[in-house]
Amino acid sequence: MPNSSSISEFLLLPLADTRQLQLLHFWLLLGIYLAALLGNGLISTAVACDQRLHTPMYFFLLNLALLDLGCISTTLPKAMANALWDTRAISYAGCAAQLFFFVLFMSAEFSLLTIMSYDRYVAICKPLHYGTLMDSRACATMAAAAWGAGFLYSLLHTASTFSLPLCQGNVVNQFFCEIPQILKLSCSESNLREVVLLIFSVSLVFGCFVFIVVSYVQIFLAVLRMPSDQGQHKAFSTCLPHLAVVSLFVSTGIFAYLRPISLSSPYMDLIVAVLYSVVPPTLNPIIYSMRNREIKQGLRKVLQYAIFYLQYRHNFLT
């Protein structure tokens, strides 16, 4: 039987069986990828360039957009390349790197969403202390903690996963390298360390989820006590996009990892992987820009500046 020392590459799950469908999937994924790049790129540029958006909430939104860019850039380019060139191979090092960065961005994003719920809690429930509790140093520290926790968490999982001996071949039944599929290739008696890590991970995720729920219960109670309808509308307009992003992130993750075994098949696993790895990074910018007037104004400024620059460059060259 092959072991991890003799494996130089893995074979990913093909997106389609025929060449025509492979090319169709390539163009579809390319469109999704460009939409995610455009949306998250515009959000990042608007927050970075507009002085009115230099607040804790938008600072965390900037970090969320960067994490979404990293997450979708970890999986889709390789899938598109495989579909375009009709190949399935990914090197051992490439698979380890893909798994590492995907877990890093996903775990850091959930940490950041937890921090963003705390930011909304302080802004609505403790507005007089907001400037003290959420100053620039505190925000930078919390964002760095989210990125650092994601890095350490991913490093621990990647090292644990790829230290296991692989006895079940090199075919990964997914369009990118993820922990459950790599574990299926390992020797059955060697999974104890990763099981312990997964239990620890579930505990952390559950703790963050409870923190978010408790924060929003207190937020909604505080909003309902507001005497002004305008104040309630403003509070809800800043909270609902974040709550929608959290719900999308958590629901797709739960369905991916906690669905019944009877619903597990290569085709279903592929659909679920697309749901939790591709859909949230693509939809998050749309969710945040739909009901947020400041983001819309910032995006309008960015687009106006881009159009002005293109017109000036065209006139200059001609």
Side-chain angles (χ1 to χ4, degrees), residues 124-190:
I124 294 173
C125 299
K126 299 181 182 293
L128 299 179
H129 302 283
Y130 187 74
T132 303
L133 295 175
M134 301 300 295
D135 60 8
S136 58
R137 184 174 181 179
C139 292
T141 301
M142 286 188 280
W147 284 85
F151 176 83
L152 293 176
Y153 179 81
S154 179
L155 184 65
L156 188 64
H157 265 298
T158 305
S160 174
T161 301
F162 281 91
S163 66
L164 297 173
L166 305 180
C167 307
Q168 307 296 329
N170 66 336
V171 178
V172 178
N173 288 320
Q174 192 52 270
F175 75 96
F176 66 96
C177 292
E178 63 172 358
I179 292 176
Q181 299 300 330
I182 300 297
L183 290 180
K184 291 179 180 179
L185 305 180
S186 66
C187 304
S188 58
E189 66 270 18
S190 304

Side-chain angles (χ1 to χ4, degrees), residues 254-273:
I254 288 176
F255 187 69
Y257 291 105
L258 298 181
R259 69 185 187 279
I261 298 178
S262 59
L263 295 179
S264 182
S265 67
Y267 181 71
M268 179 61 69
D269 291 345
L270 179 64
I271 294 176
V272 171

Side-chain angles (χ1 to χ4, degrees), residues 18-241:
T18 65
R19 187 62 184 149
Q20 291 79 6
L21 284 178
Q22 285 178 341
L23 292 176
L24 177 63
H25 281 98
F26 166 77
W27 289 111
L28 179 62
L29 292 180
L30 179 62
I32 294 173
Y33 185 56
L34 292 177
L37 289 182
L38 179 63
N40 288 290
L42 285 174
I43 292 285
S44 302
T45 305
V47 173
C49 297
D50 195 336
Q51 282 291 129
R52 294 177 304 173
L53 300 182
H54 291 180
T55 63
M57 182 177 74
Y58 295 111
F59 170 73
F60 293 132
L61 181 57
L62 169 63
N63 280 268
L64 181 67
L66 294 176
L67 288 169
D68 282 335
L69 281 174
C71 182
I72 201 166
S73 297
T74 301
T75 57
L76 282 197
K78 181 59 179 176
M80 288 188 294
N82 284 357
L84 181 62
W85 294 320
D86 192 19
T87 181
R88 300 173 54 191
I90 183 172
S91 67
Y92 187 93
C95 184
Q98 193 177 61
L99 188 148
F100 171 79
F101 284 110
F102 182 74
V103 176
L104 187 160
F105 292 127
M106 291 291 283
S107 55
E109 180 163 334
F110 192 57
S111 300
L112 188 69
L113 290 173
T114 306
I115 293 170
M116 291 173 76
S117 70
Y118 174 72
D119 170 69
R120 292 298 82 208
Y121 165 76
V122 175
I124 294 173
C125 299
K126 299 181 182 293
L128 299 179
H129 302 283
Y130 187 74
T132 303
L133 295 175
M134 301 300 295
D135 60 8
S136 58
R137 184 174 181 179
C139 292
T141 301
M142 286 188 280
W147 284 85
F151 176 83
L152 293 176
Y153 179 81
S154 179
L155 184 65
L156 188 64
H157 265 298
T158 305
S160 174
T161 301
F162 281 91
S163 66
L164 297 173
L166 305 180
C167 307
Q168 307 296 329
N170 66 336
V171 178
V172 178
N173 288 320
Q174 192 52 270
F175 75 96
F176 66 96
C177 292
E178 63 172 358
I179 292 176
Q181 299 300 330
I182 300 297
L183 290 180
K184 291 179 180 179
L185 305 180
S186 66
C187 304
S188 58
E189 66 270 18
S190 304
N191 290 345
L192 181 59
R193 284 176 299 173
E194 189 61 30
V195 169
V196 172
L197 276 177
L198 287 175
I199 294 174
F200 175 69
S201 303
V202 170
S203 302
L204 286 179
V205 169
F206 182 74
C208 291
F209 180 72
V210 169
F211 182 88
I212 293 172
V213 170
V214 172
S215 298
Y216 268 98
V217 168
Q218 297 185 64
I219 287 171
F220 285 134
L221 290 176
V223 170
L224 292 176
R225 288 196 295 266
M226 290 181 178
S228 169
D229 291 339
Q230 184 178 2
Q232 289 183 353
H233 176 75
K234 184 178 180 179
F236 277 125
S237 67
T238 61
C239 291
L240 290 180

Side-chain angles (χ1 to χ4, degrees), residues 287-318:
I287 293 172
Y288 267 105
S289 60
M290 280 179 61
R291 294 176 56 89
N292 194 304
R293 183 183 304 172
E294 288 81 7
I295 285 290
K296 289 180 180 178
Q297 292 175 348
L299 293 175
R300 193 177 297 115
K301 281 187 175 183
V302 171
L303 293 175
Q304 288 173 348
Y305 177 80
I307 293 172
F308 173 79
Y309 175 77
L310 291 175
Q311 290 176 341
Y312 174 80
R313 183 177 176 85
H314 178 266
N315 294 334
F316 179 78
L317 292 176
T318 55

